[in-house]
């Protein structure tokens, strides 16, 4: 079985993990729009492709799938998820599994304000969120919220633009300068996340690996420690039941006063999935099993607590003539 990984960027360690699990006959093909994306050179074959918003982008990806006999496609960046989901039927016609959610779920995950409203409608505990300063003012007057608060872009990824705002004056200025921001309650409590695999046949959550964040850098957790809590596993199952996921997702949570709150969902391999794999929770085996037409059994908590992950930087070195051709 051959895999196409799109927009691989710096995600070389994940490609290494795939190679550890896959058979020698399987092949990993990687794409990016820059020949200087280091993860390209950890794959078996590389393609330089246009930006994801180019008119011919999907046609190029489909051509690669046909040429390389691809079984499944995934992406490592959030903006591409909806692009792929919007073209699911084209991939299905050539027998390729898209490891991304279905379209409406993809849209919800990318738009944090729509996600908030959807979660509230479905009685799923989440972080209080306001889309405008006027909405926030109404809650402030009622005593439902107090400063400081947190602001971040309504869409986007990598924590770009997300920050704490201490005063109302600063908040007004921030919202005027960037109307795309949303306002959130400042959650001064434990921060954690979970890697979850949703079976592509049953569409049930069949595996989850939860971890507490020890240190966070821009874009995600860099040091984490594993833990288990049946209440969180039950909460994850409840969350998954109201969406249409397909494959790996990364869920962020807060834990306050004995209750879990869903922060957001990145419906792809999370940057810290490396921790789950290193602790023995192998989503790649689950993907392979699905691609063979078999549903996976639900097995949560099949890992040890207290396993620590500590990320560090590495490099790819090659000669200029070895770079992928544009």
């Amino acid at each position: 079985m051959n895999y196409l990984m799109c927009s691989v960027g710096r995600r070389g360690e994940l490609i290494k993990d795939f190679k550890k699990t896959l058979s020698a006959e399987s092949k990993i093909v990687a794409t990016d729009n820059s020949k200087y994306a280091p993860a390209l050179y950890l794959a078996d074959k590389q393609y330089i492709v246009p930006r994801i918003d180019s008119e011919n982008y999907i046609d190029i990806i489909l051509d690669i799938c046909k040429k390389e006999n691809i079984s499944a496609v995934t992406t490592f960046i959030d903006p591409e998820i909806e692009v792929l989901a919007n073209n699911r039927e084209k991939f299905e016609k050539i027998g390729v599994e898209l490891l991304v959610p279905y379209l409406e779920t993809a849209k919800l995950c990318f738009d944090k304000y729509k996600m908030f409203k959807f979660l509230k409608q479905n009685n799923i505990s989440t972080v209080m969120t306001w889309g405008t300063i006027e909405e926030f003012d109404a809650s402030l007057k009622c005593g439902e919220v107090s400063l400081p608060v947190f602001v971040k872009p309504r869409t986007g990824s990598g924590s770009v633009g997300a920050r704490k705002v201490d005063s109302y004056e600063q908040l007004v200025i921030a919202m005027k300068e960037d109307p795309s921001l949303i306002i959130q309650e400042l959650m001064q409590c434990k921060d954690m996340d979970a890697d979850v695999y949703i079976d592509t046949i049953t569409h049930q959550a069949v595996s989850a690996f939860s971890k507490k964040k020890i240190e966070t850098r821009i874009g995600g957790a860099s040091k984490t420690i594993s833990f288990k809590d049946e209440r969180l596993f039950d909460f994850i199952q409840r969350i998954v039941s109201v969406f249409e996921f397909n494959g790996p997702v990364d869920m962020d949570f807060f834990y306050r006063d004995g209750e879990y709150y869903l922060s957001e969902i990145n419906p792809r391999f999370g940057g810290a999935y490396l921790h789950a794999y290193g602790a023995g929770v192998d989503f790649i085996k689950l993907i392979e099993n699905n691609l063979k037409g078999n549903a996976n059994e639900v097995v949560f908590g099949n890992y040890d607590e207290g396993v620590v992950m500590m990320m560090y930087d590495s490099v790819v070195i090659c000669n200029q003539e070895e770079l992928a051709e544009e």
Side-chain angles (χ1 to χ4, degrees):
M1 294 179 186
N2 298 332
Y3 293 82
L4 178 61
M5 298 182 173
C6 299
S7 305
V8 292
R10 296 162 52 88
R11 302 289 296 278
E13 290 297 319
L14 180 56
I15 293 177
K16 288 182 185 179
D17 286 347
F18 261 80
K19 285 188 169 185
K20 290 175 189 174
T21 293
L22 298 178
S23 66
E25 295 77 25
S26 295
K27 180 172 62 178
I28 295 176
V29 180
T31 73
D32 204 278
N33 68 359
S34 170
K35 65 182 178 181
Y36 298 110
L40 282 173
Y41 305 99
L42 295 164
D44 299 298
K45 193 161 184 181
Q46 306 80 28
Y47 284 89
I48 306 302
V49 297
R51 287 170 51 92
I52 63 171
D53 53 4
S54 300
E55 286 185 12
N56 61 341
Y57 180 75
I58 287 296
D59 290 336
I60 289 172
I61 298 300
L62 288 166
D63 286 343
I64 295 172
C65 288
K66 295 172 188 175
K67 183 177 179 180
E68 302 293 345
N69 192 26
I70 297 297
S71 300
V73 174
T74 189
T75 178
F76 296 161
I77 62 170
D78 295 320
E80 189 172 6
I81 293 169
E82 188 175 331
V83 174
L84 291 172
N86 196 39
N87 291 276
R88 183 177 294 277
E89 290 183 3
K90 295 178 182 178
F91 287 90
E92 289 177 345
K93 283 181 181 179
I94 62 171
V96 174
E97 180 73 66
L98 280 182
L99 298 173
V100 298
Y102 288 80
L103 185 57
E104 289 308 311
T105 292
K107 289 179 178 179
L108 284 170
C109 290
F110 195 61
D111 188 320
K112 297 175 179 65
Y113 187 57
K114 283 185 178 179
M115 170 67 91
F116 165 74
K117 292 194 288 186
F118 180 82
L119 294 174
K120 294 298 286 184
Q121 289 168 2
N122 285 275
N123 298 313
I124 293 173
S125 299
T126 188
V127 182
M128 280 300 301
T129 303
W130 298 268
T132 65
I133 193 71
E134 289 78 17
E135 285 183 8
F136 177 78
D137 284 343
S139 293
L140 187 64
K141 290 176 182 176
C142 294
E144 295 174 347
V145 64
S146 61
L147 291 148
V149 292
F150 199 75
V151 298
K152 62 184 177 182
R154 179 169 174 163
T155 60
S157 58
S159 302
V160 176
R163 60 195 186 275
K164 177 184 174 184
V165 175
D166 292 304
S167 70
Y168 183 79
E169 292 73 19
Q170 291 174 339
L171 180 62
V172 171
I173 292 170
M175 297 299 287
K176 279 185 178 180
E177 290 178 346
D178 187 357
S180 71
L181 293 176
I182 56 173
I183 308 165
Q184 290 191 323
E185 172 188 11
L186 185 64
M187 302 292 283
Q188 295 178 307
C189 54
K190 293 181 180 178
D191 188 6
M192 54 200 64
D193 70 19
D195 300 292
V196 184
Y197 186 78
I198 291 83
D199 195 272
T200 65
I201 295 174
T202 65
H203 293 106
Q204 286 184 302
V206 295
S207 180
F209 178 82
S210 53
K211 51 198 183 290
K212 298 174 184 177
K213 298 177 183 179
I214 300 171
E215 178 184 274
T216 302
R217 295 182 181 178
I218 294 174
S222 55
K223 295 177 184 176
T224 51
I225 183 167
S226 63
F227 77 101
K228 293 188 256 191
D229 187 343
E230 289 298 329
R231 293 174 301 161
L232 178 58
F233 293 155
D234 290 343
F235 189 35
I236 289 169
Q237 293 282 24
R238 166 88 178 96
I239 292 165
V240 170
S241 71
V242 300
F243 289 100
E244 289 185 296
F245 293 119
N246 198 60
V249 306
D250 172 44
M251 297 184 181
D252 288 332
F253 298 95
F254 290 106
Y255 184 72
R256 185 179 67 187
D257 299 332
E259 184 174 359
Y260 287 100
Y261 295 82
L262 177 63
S263 173
E264 58 183 67
I265 303 174
N266 300 306
R268 53 168 171 76
F269 278 105
Y273 168 70
L274 303 173
H275 190 176
Y277 185 88
V281 181
D282 191 344
F283 288 0
I284 303 155
K285 287 182 179 178
L286 304 180
I287 294 169
E288 292 244 287
N289 202 36
N290 279 163
L291 292 176
K292 292 174 183 175
N294 303 317
N296 291 293
E297 294 182 13
V298 179
V299 181
F300 278 30
N302 57 333
Y303 59 89
D304 292 333
E305 293 189 286
V307 177
V308 178
M309 179 197 72
M310 296 165 282
M311 282 190 180
Y312 68 97
D313 294 329
S314 189
V315 297
V316 171
I317 304 292
C318 64
N319 292 322
Q320 189 172 11
E321 57 268 22
E322 295 174 312
L323 296 175
E325 295 182 6
E326 296 182 3

